[in-house]
Amino acid sequence: MTSPTDYISVTSYASITGLAILANPCQIPKSKTFLFDAQLYIGSISGSGEAIIGTLRYFNGSDTMFSEQPRLYVICATLARVEEDAMISDAIAKYQHFIGDITWVQIPWWACISMLSYKLTQ
């Protein structure tokens, strides 16, 4: 006899809300969808940690302008691990830890002040 759990497929993903560096926005032609190179810092209680790198997709329904330069954003996203046997180029698979979708994105208020003060001093 089989149990109900024998038919359950488990997928691996995580939801994250936090700071991310987004860079190289690439708009998909004839779409409001962007792809970003993303870097997330995964810290620990002891203060040690590492950065993970991946690609995030975002539907830009509000027509937000994104900088070509790397910028710090607050994001809410769903991430999935890049599997070793994924059918993507070896160059990408070698450096990518995750892929995912951004649910929402905002520039932190203190980053806006920092950018404004930088522009005023130029």
Side-chain angles (χ1 to χ4, degrees), residues 50-106:
E50 67 178 63
I52 58 173
I53 299 169
T55 299
L56 292 175
R57 179 177 59 177
Y58 176 64
F59 178 76
N60 190 11
S62 59
D63 296 322
T64 302
M65 299 293 293
F66 292 101
S67 171
E68 293 292 324
Q69 301 300 318
R71 290 273 162 80
L72 188 64
Y73 295 91
V74 178
I75 66 165
C76 181
T78 302
L79 311 176
R81 186 178 75 173
V82 175
E83 297 291 336
E84 290 181 21
D85 59 348
M87 297 187 66
I88 56 177
S89 77
D90 289 339
I92 292 173
K94 184 176 180 179
Y95 299 105
Q96 300 277 331
H97 297 103
F98 64 88
I99 55 174
D101 292 312
I102 297 172
T103 308
W104 59 258
V105 59
Q106 291 182 337

Side-chain angles (χ1 to χ4, degrees), residues 39-58:
Q39 180 176 347
L40 305 172
Y41 175 75
I42 307 300
S44 68
I45 294 173
S46 66
S48 63
E50 67 178 63
I52 58 173
I53 299 169
T55 299
L56 292 175
R57 179 177 59 177
Y58 176 64

